[in-house]
Amino acid sequence: MGKDIYIGVDLGGTKIMASPLRLGRNLKILGKAKNPTRSKSGYKTVVKDIILTIKQSIENAKINSRHIKAVGIGAPGAVDVKRNIILKAPNLGWENIKINKLIEKELNIPVYLDNDVNLGVLGEQQYGAARNSKDVVGVFWGTGIGGGLVLNGKIYHGYIFTAGEIGHMVISSDGKLCNCGNRGCLESYAGKWAISRDWFEYHNKTDKKPGKYALLKSKMIKKTFADNDPFMTELINNACNMIGITLASVVNLLNPQTIVLGGGMIESMNEELTPLIISAMNQHIFKSAKVEIKTAELGDFSVLTGAGVYARQRTN
Ligand SMILES: [Zn+2]
């Protein structure tokens, strides 16, 4: 057992990262490899590149591949974890793609897939900010707002694997149009794309099509907010308020021990944003409820760490 190694892979829209991991009391990342995701060349090219990245990471770690028990892969989209099928990955242009068999054939070890956000939360739950909690909700605030649930130490997928979509919880019944096609989702107010939309609309520089706005840079948002720009202050306060209200519903529904906040917005403005979110949340949670809010710790390694943990859970 002590020598068992699991490989975690983060298949992103722009890059593939892989690391062999030793998953003891502490996490040991034994090696690293990274390659671009050439999604335009078709899924078979991407599969070849995943295999290449895994092999490079094994070489980089200088380990005996006999000790590798399984591979876990985090994919950017909905995954049928029972049949190992990527149902829909808009960033890659994939629908109903099965990649594990091709990789298993080449490497001769089992390969398991799951959604990248779910795995990021699992990574944080096992080795990151929430390592002392069994019940964890993860919220990743970036361009959109991703979420994942780890309940009793396991990812909660739901009936057809769509659980955890915190960004699409409804906060206004006939609210703004969301990228998902519905109205009034949290993301359509607080996602960075929505903040950018409002900013450009306010400054009259937009074609007003949802999802077609230029994205503001995190640095620009941070600076404008720090300079007390009145409109940016309003946008940020409103976004934090909406996230806090949504988290209050999450706490009232699930009573998790820990909520982990991560993603580009939090990485850039944790000190400014987290207190605003907590204060909005506290106004709406049950008076008897209690929850810890933590900042994600694993950064770029959260997904591949969770992928390794997931591969181990599926193997044992
Ligand atoms: Zn939505």
Side-chain angles (χ1 to χ4, degrees), residues 168 178 180 185:
H168 301 279
C178 184
C180 73
C185 300

Side-chain angles (χ1 to χ4, degrees), residues 6-9 21 23 71-72 303-313:
Y6 294 86
I7 300 210
V9 178
L21 307 168
L23 304 169
V71 175
V303 174
L304 64 80
T305 299
V309 171
Y310 184 67
R312 182 179 59 180
Q313 288 181 345

Side-chain angles (χ1 to χ4, degrees), residues 5 7 58 62-69 107 109:
I5 291 166
I7 300 210
I58 294 170
K62 297 187 173 63
I63 49 171
N64 187 333
S65 50
R66 273 191 310 133
H67 298 306
I68 300 170
K69 296 293 168 205
L107 299 175
I109 35 175

Side-chain angles (χ1 to χ4, degrees), residues 64-85:
N64 187 333
S65 50
R66 273 191 310 133
H67 298 306
I68 300 170
K69 296 293 168 205
V71 175
I73 301 178
V79 176
D80 178 334
V81 298
K82 289 210 176 105
R83 295 185 298 154
N84 268 311
I85 292 173

Side-chain angles (χ1 to χ4, degrees), residues 1-112:
M1 264 306 275
K3 285 189 171 169
D4 289 357
I5 291 166
Y6 294 86
I7 300 210
V9 178
D10 182 356
L11 168 60
T14 57
K15 61 180 191 278
I16 304 163
M17 299 202 302
S19 284
L21 307 168
R22 190 160 280 143
L23 304 169
R25 182 184 290 261
N26 295 308
L27 168 69
K28 268 198 188 141
I29 297 170
L30 302 169
K32 292 171 201 172
K34 185 162 85 172
N35 285 298
T37 309
R38 296 184 289 167
S39 51
K40 288 206 176 84
S41 314
Y43 82 92
K44 284 191 176 156
T45 303
V46 176
V47 168
K48 270 187 201 154
D49 288 344
I50 292 172
I51 293 165
L52 173 75
T53 313
I54 291 171
K55 285 183 172 171
Q56 286 173 340
S57 76
I58 294 170
E59 232 168 78
N60 177 266
K62 297 187 173 63
I63 49 171
N64 187 333
S65 50
R66 273 191 310 133
H67 298 306
I68 300 170
K69 296 293 168 205
V71 175
I73 301 178
V79 176
D80 178 334
V81 298
K82 289 210 176 105
R83 295 185 298 154
N84 268 311
I85 292 173
I86 299 173
L87 299 170
K88 204 175 172 111
N91 287 346
L92 301 173
W94 292 3
E95 250 178 75
N96 295 316
I97 298 277
K98 200 168 166 87
I99 61 172
N100 66 313
K101 288 278 177 255
L102 295 165
I103 303 170
E104 281 173 354
K105 213 173 134 194
E106 179 73 25
L107 299 175
N108 232 345
I109 35 175
V111 174
Y112 302 102

